[in-house]
């Protein structure tokens, strides 16, 4: 498909252990068009986070291929992979993963430090990202001076600051109370509509999945349902 950003073909992922092997993904095929907003759902151990890590190049498949755009991510070496990930992928973690001694501004700036940008260009991009998540007035605050919802907004700003084509979010509302969780979901929908990046979100919460335009259900490493009709409400 010419408009496909993500193409997963025949992917199996096995973690080899001393006592037993675990295979969270088995012979998986999946295509996600450019600009889609997808929620991945399924029980614990269904392979949701494993798939997200394969898309980000954090891990490699045991068998099969993972393409993002024209790049076969599963074939890249570690150095090329780090360069590719920094330019093409933004990741939002459940635990925020902010550096505690850096301000919100400095945390958001981190992905830009590997690019050959002037300090003024970095400042401009950081300012745009913080404004997009509504935290311009908290730019100088440390993570401990921010609420959980605000910390996750900083994490979202960090994910979008370099303008990546793919945003991956792993249970982005899992550590938040209901009000903050829905605020983050509204923010993700707003940013998706504004910037048009492909967004893939792992969630266990059906209410969170309603933010997406497409819901893919995984179980035992395979797609069991792929539904766009019940999403996007």
């Amino acid at each position: 498909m010419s408009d496909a950003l993500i193409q997963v073909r025949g992917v199996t992922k096995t973690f080899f252990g001393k006592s037993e092997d675990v295979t969270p993904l088995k012979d998986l095929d999946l295509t996600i068009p450019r600009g889609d907003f997808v929620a991945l759902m399924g029980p614990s151990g269904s392979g949701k986070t494993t798939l997200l890590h394969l898309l980000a190049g954090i891990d490699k498949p045991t068998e099969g291929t993972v393409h993002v755009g024209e790049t076969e991510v599963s074939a890249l070496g570690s150095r090329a992979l780090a360069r590719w990930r920094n330019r093409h992928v933004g990741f939002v973690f459940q635990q925020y993963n902010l550096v505690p001694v850096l301000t919100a501004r400095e945390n958001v700036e981190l992905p830009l430090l590997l690019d050959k940008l002037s300090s003024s260009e970095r400042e401009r991009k950081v300012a745009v990202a913080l404004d997009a998540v509504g935290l311009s007035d908290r730019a100088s605050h440390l993570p401990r001076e921010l609420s959980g919802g605000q910390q996750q907004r900083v994490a979202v700003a960090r994910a979008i600051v370099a303008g990546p084509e793919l945003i991956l979010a792993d249970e982005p509302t899992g550590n938040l109370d209901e009000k903050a969780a829905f605020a983050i979901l509204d923010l993700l929908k707003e940013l998706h509509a504004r910037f048009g990046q492909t967004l893939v979100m792992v969630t266990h919460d059906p209410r969170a999945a309603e933010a997406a335009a497409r819901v893919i259900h995984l179980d035992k490493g395979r797609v069991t349902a792929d539904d766009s009709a019940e999403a996007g409400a």
Side-chain angles (χ1 to χ4, degrees), residues 63-87:
E63 298 176 15
T65 60
V66 176
H67 281 83
V68 177
E70 301 300 318
T71 302
E72 185 180 345
V73 180
S74 48
L76 294 178
S78 58
R79 188 169 295 180
L81 187 57
R83 288 196 300 268
W84 173 84
R85 188 188 300 121
N86 191 64
R87 292 172 182 165

Side-chain angles (χ1 to χ4, degrees), residues 40-152:
L40 298 177
M41 296 193 71
S44 178
S46 62
K48 306 183 300 297
T49 296
T50 298
L51 176 57
L52 216 64
H53 287 177
L54 295 181
L55 296 179
I58 295 172
D59 208 344
K60 291 181 179 291
T62 307
E63 298 176 15
T65 60
V66 176
H67 281 83
V68 177
E70 301 300 318
T71 302
E72 185 180 345
V73 180
S74 48
L76 294 178
S78 58
R79 188 169 295 180
L81 187 57
R83 288 196 300 268
W84 173 84
R85 188 188 300 121
N86 191 64
R87 292 172 182 165
H88 296 278
V89 179
F91 211 110
V92 182
F93 300 89
Q94 179 178 347
Q95 304 287 346
Y96 321 137
N97 280 24
L98 301 179
V99 181
V101 296
L102 299 183
T103 65
R105 179 188 295 108
E106 291 165 337
N107 269 284
V108 174
E109 186 183 25
L110 286 175
L112 302 177
L113 297 178
L114 296 179
D115 283 342
K116 295 179 179 178
L117 298 174
S118 66
S119 58
S120 61
E121 181 65 6
R122 288 200 307 272
E123 289 175 9
R124 186 190 69 80
K125 286 179 176 288
V126 170
V128 168
L130 284 171
D131 180 67
V133 302
L135 280 183
S136 296
D137 60 340
R138 296 289 188 271
S140 299
H141 287 60
L142 295 170
R144 68 172 181 269
E145 298 170 323
L146 302 172
S147 68
Q150 289 172 333
Q151 289 184 61
Q152 192 62 295

Side-chain angles (χ1 to χ4, degrees), residues 8 10 49 59 88 95 109 111 129 135 175 185 187 197 207 210 214 218-219 227-228:
V8 175
T49 296
D59 208 344
H88 296 278
Q95 304 287 346
E109 186 183 25
L135 280 183
N175 276 4
L185 292 170
L187 174 64
Q197 289 132 319
R207 294 174 302 173
E210 289 177 357
R214 178 182 176 193
L218 297 175
D219 194 13
D227 196 343
S228 59

Side-chain angles (χ1 to χ4, degrees), residues 207-226:
R207 294 174 302 173
E210 289 177 357
R214 178 182 176 193
V215 182
I216 297 173
H217 297 265
L218 297 175
D219 194 13
K220 298 179 181 177
R222 299 178 186 271
V223 174
T224 58
D226 188 342

